Amino acid sequence: MADTFSLQRVLETFRSSLSEEKEVYIKYYIAGWQELVAFMNSLGSVFSFISKDVVSKIQILENFLSGENRSHYVTIQSMVRYELENDLVDLTKRGSHPESGCRTLLRLHRALRWLELFLERLRTSSEDSKTSVMCSDAYNESLAQHHPWLIRKAVGVAFCALPGRDTFFDVMNAGDQTQVVALLGESLPLIAEVYQITEDLYVKNNLLELP
Ligand code: 1PW
């Protein structure tokens, strides 16, 4: 992973994450998140508490990917099957498996929805739109419902410190605004598809409320 963010690379990693059978490769899913962390870090230190949590979630999943049971952690589908069949998930309250792959990935999955909503707003925004408003609208519509008051407050403060729309487009490193908008138009359906496949899997297995 390079230090500078590139929207193009995010697109490529999410594209690589879908198998022909429409399963989601965990390796590329977290690679996509690593790119997004680089992006958050380029936005300044107010985002560091947000990226820290994402980094620790990525780390938990990476440990599974390189651990002795790694053959079960190739796709999100195989992970869910394996962890459920072997009682490795705390289903109703936190117990002996507080850091299962299923509950860890669920946190990233919820955040991905926020990202999707935000990027869609950015794509269709006009020059006078405010990034902080787009960010918090997307957040309130998605992730906020899963966060306690204190986190919602802290996230709100971070959003206020976001750079303006022009800077945002620059940081994406994908050419002028027209090109960024085009690339967003291309990448959003992919992110949405990865999100929806994961969502359907979690619904089917009744995993959307994992503690
Ligand atoms: C501008 C681009 C940024 C894109 C990334 C957005 C990610 C937003 C994640 C917000 C994290 C806020 C601080 C941490 C909260 C955790 O309590 C929470 N984690 C997440 C990812 O929502 C829940 O994890 P937990 O406490 O149940 O382990």
Side-chain angles (χ1 to χ4, degrees):
M1 184 189 60
D3 286 298
T4 39
F5 173 80
S6 127
L7 185 61
Q8 184 76 46
R9 268 204 311 273
V10 175
L11 169 64
E12 279 157 19
T13 46
F14 279 106
R15 182 173 284 144
S16 316
S17 77
L18 275 182
S19 78
E20 273 177 28
E21 298 76 36
K22 300 284 179 196
E23 298 209 344
V24 182
Y25 293 118
I26 298 177
K27 182 177 159 198
Y28 294 106
Y29 189 91
I30 61 182
W33 272 105
Q34 267 158 345
E35 293 293 339
L36 293 167
V37 166
F39 182 55
M40 283 186 262
N41 289 340
S42 72
L43 294 176
S45 55
V46 270
F47 270 87
S48 65
F49 91 97
I50 295 185
S51 66
K52 242 187 226 151
D53 185 68
V54 174
V55 167
S56 79
K57 303 273 189 288
I58 292 173
Q59 189 58 54
I60 294 170
L61 293 171
E62 273 185 337
N63 292 345
F64 286 124
L65 285 187
S66 58
E68 53 182 325
N69 297 312
R70 59 181 172 275
S71 62
H72 301 291
Y73 287 85
V74 175
T75 64
I76 300 182
Q77 286 74 5
S78 68
M79 172 188 79
V80 166
R81 203 177 316 125
Y82 169 70
E83 289 196 342
L84 288 180
E85 279 174 4
N86 292 281
D87 294 325
L88 295 171
V89 185
D90 290 340
L91 293 171
T92 48
K93 58 177 193 319
R94 300 193 80 169
S96 47
H97 304 290
E99 295 193 334
S100 65
C102 287
R103 73 85 66 189
T104 303
L105 194 125
L106 175 62
R107 270 59 188 176
L108 295 181
H109 170 67
R110 289 168 175 169
L112 194 64
R113 175 70 180 155
W114 171 74
L115 186 77
E116 181 193 335
L117 293 174
F118 167 66
L119 291 179
E120 179 56 23
R121 281 178 162 76
L122 189 66
R123 186 180 76 84
T124 54
S125 63
S126 56
E127 253 165 53
D128 55 358
S129 303
K130 284 196 166 5
T131 48
S132 55
V133 174
M134 293 188 264
C135 248
S136 53
D137 285 352
Y139 178 72
N140 291 333
E141 225 181 273
S142 56
L143 201 50
Q145 298 156 21
H146 304 287
H147 285 164
W149 182 85
L150 197 63
I151 302 242
R152 290 204 303 271
K153 279 285 156 213
V155 168
V157 170
F159 286 165
C160 289
L162 277 174
R165 187 173 172 274
D166 287 346
T167 311
F168 235 90
F169 276 107
D170 287 346
V171 172
M172 294 192 152
N173 244 324
D176 63 26
Q177 295 201 0
T178 320
Q179 289 168 307
V180 175
V181 166
L183 191 58
L184 282 174
E186 215 184 299
S187 36
L188 275 165
L190 274 170
I191 293 179
E193 187 177 10
V194 170
Y195 176 85
Q196 199 54 50
I197 289 173
T198 312
E199 178 77 4
D200 292 345
L201 179 73
Y202 270 63
V203 168
K204 199 172 92 196
N205 290 282
N206 210 5
L207 298 175
L208 279 181
E209 301 298 330
L210 291 181

